[in-house]
Amino acid sequence: MDLRNSTILITGGTSGFGFEFATQLLALGSTVLITGRNQAKLDDTKRRLPSVHTFQSDVSDPAAIRQLYQQVTTQFPALNILINNAGEMRKLDLQDPALELHDITREVEINLSGPIRMVQQFLPHLKTKKTAAILNVTSGLAMTPFPLAPIYSGTKAGLRAYTKALRVQLQHTLVKVFELVAPAAKTPLADPFASVLNDSMLMDPNQVVAQAIRGLQQDRVEIYPGLSRLMRYMSRLAPGILLKQMSKGVTEAFAQSRVQA
Ligand SMILES: NC(=O)c1ccc[n+]([C@@H]2O[C@H](COP(=O)([O-])OP(=O)(O)OC[C@H]3O[C@@H](n4cnc5c(N)ncnc54)[C@H](OP(=O)(O)O)[C@@H]3O)[C@@H](O)[C@H]2O)c1
């Protein structure tokens, strides 16, 4: 992919990987558009990256996606790359009786329904371009679940399956479909998991994104930075051992919160 002459829309561009993508793609010469829900965070990002274009939009809201499409394609008809990056990860005790039915699937709406709806809305536009791409940000947890974050793990496995299917369906079009299988990294998303993810397990988001950009430039459709590559092999060779490893600290974490409650 030629990223220099591309116009790229990144969902969730105000922090973590999204902010890094915006920073590194602007440095390459791309035109970069970002979204997020929080206007103050968008304004702060605009202050730090003056050439970025910001749009307040909640990826879990279909009406907001329709509105975003109108705004973006009117103002930036050259748009040719979509990066589905926005995501949320919660530590959830599935035995907690306080979990509400309407809230328990929140990550599904953001991490899985969001990218699916974004693709559905933007695909006809992307298909009009000579070169176009969709990059979906999944996770090492798409290959083995992290029981502390059960719904999140399900969304990433679902997004990975959807991404593979989408790639097959678009194989005779000019739209390339990429997957960034991101490893655990030092971003605000990982903060609530500090008790089980020590610093040495967390990759610098700057490096994850640098590898993702190289992958896009080299047309590598599945990109596995850092520990994701190891998780890929472990999930095939020794899935039971990997799940056991990912399950450490779960019983203790929830037993403690049940006692406190
Ligand atoms: N960090 C990790 O260890 C890790 C590992 C593997 C995969 N990932 C994936 O990488 C992606 C980025 O995560 P991150 O670590 O960079 O997280 P982050 O630092 O928490 O950033 C998340 C970004 O998404 C935005 N966002 C959240 N919900 C949104 C919504 N409903 N609509 C629009 N924007 C929304 C946030 O802004 P607002 O809150 O203002 O909306 C923020 O800009 C996610 O898909 C995550 O699952 C992360």
Side-chain angles (χ1 to χ4, degrees):
M1 285 295 305
D2 171 18
L3 300 174
R4 200 159 287 139
N5 296 308
S6 287
T7 300
I8 305 174
L9 173 62
I10 306 165
T11 64
T14 57
S15 116
F17 293 150
F19 181 82
E20 274 303 325
F21 267 117
T23 306
Q24 295 187 30
L25 289 169
L26 284 171
L28 273 181
S30 320
T31 300
V32 177
L33 288 49
I34 62 164
T35 73
R37 293 165 300 185
N38 183 320
Q39 188 60 46
K41 280 162 73 180
L42 288 163
D43 293 343
D44 182 54
T45 306
K46 179 77 185 165
R47 203 177 37 72
R48 295 165 71 190
L49 302 173
S51 43
V52 84
H53 303 277
T54 62
F55 294 85
Q56 187 179 31
S57 187
D58 181 344
V59 81
S60 68
D61 176 358
I65 290 178
R66 274 192 289 274
Q67 191 187 13
L68 177 70
Y69 174 77
Q70 293 302 338
Q71 291 174 327
V72 163
T73 52
T74 305
Q75 294 175 42
F76 298 93
L79 176 79
N80 66 322
I81 299 182
L82 167 64
I83 300 184
N84 279 313
N85 165 77
E88 185 178 85
M89 172 166 163
R90 293 181 298 168
K91 191 188 284 185
L92 289 177
D93 177 357
L94 298 174
Q95 295 188 60
D96 179 355
L99 281 181
E100 297 277 358
L101 286 186
H102 76 269
D103 186 54
I104 187 147
T105 55
R106 197 167 87 205
E107 286 138 297
V108 177
E109 289 302 303
I110 299 173
N111 304 356
L112 181 58
S113 303
I116 292 171
R117 289 182 179 130
M118 286 291 290
V119 169
Q120 208 58 27
Q121 183 67 71
F122 283 84
L123 184 58
H125 174 87
L126 295 178
K127 282 174 66 183
T128 66
K129 302 298 163 194
K130 284 204 181 82
T131 58
I134 294 163
L135 169 67
N136 288 338
V137 180
T138 70
S139 161
L141 303 181
M143 299 177 294
T144 198
F146 184 35
L148 271 178
I151 310 302
Y152 177 88
S153 301
T155 66
K156 292 298 175 179
L159 185 59
R160 179 169 168 81
Y162 165 78
T163 305
K164 286 176 185 289
L166 179 68
R167 186 177 302 121
V168 172
Q169 289 211 13
L170 298 187
Q171 64 190 330
H172 301 304
T173 74
L174 296 174
V175 185
K176 293 179 183 149
V177 178
F178 294 88
E179 179 186 4
L180 168 60
V181 188
K186 283 185 201 112
T187 74
L189 177 134
D191 286 347
F193 299 89
S195 61
V196 285
L197 293 174
N198 63 48
D199 252 21
S200 66
M201 296 166 164
L202 297 173
M203 200 165 161
D204 186 334
N206 178 303
Q207 289 173 19
V208 175
V209 169
Q211 289 192 32
I213 288 177
R214 266 200 303 282
L216 286 168
Q217 289 171 321
Q218 295 167 0
D219 285 335
R220 265 188 285 129
V221 293
E222 291 186 351
I223 305 161
Y224 295 88
L227 283 178
S228 287
R229 181 163 297 280
L230 178 66
M231 284 182 78
R232 184 186 185 199
Y233 292 118
M234 286 287 287
S235 68
R236 289 175 178 173
L237 297 174
I241 293 174
L242 184 58
L243 179 57
K244 205 167 163 189
Q245 194 66 23
M246 300 303 293
S247 304
K248 282 189 178 158
V250 178
T251 313
E252 298 77 357
F254 292 143
Q256 208 174 2
S257 58
R258 281 179 214 142
V259 169
Q260 281 162 3

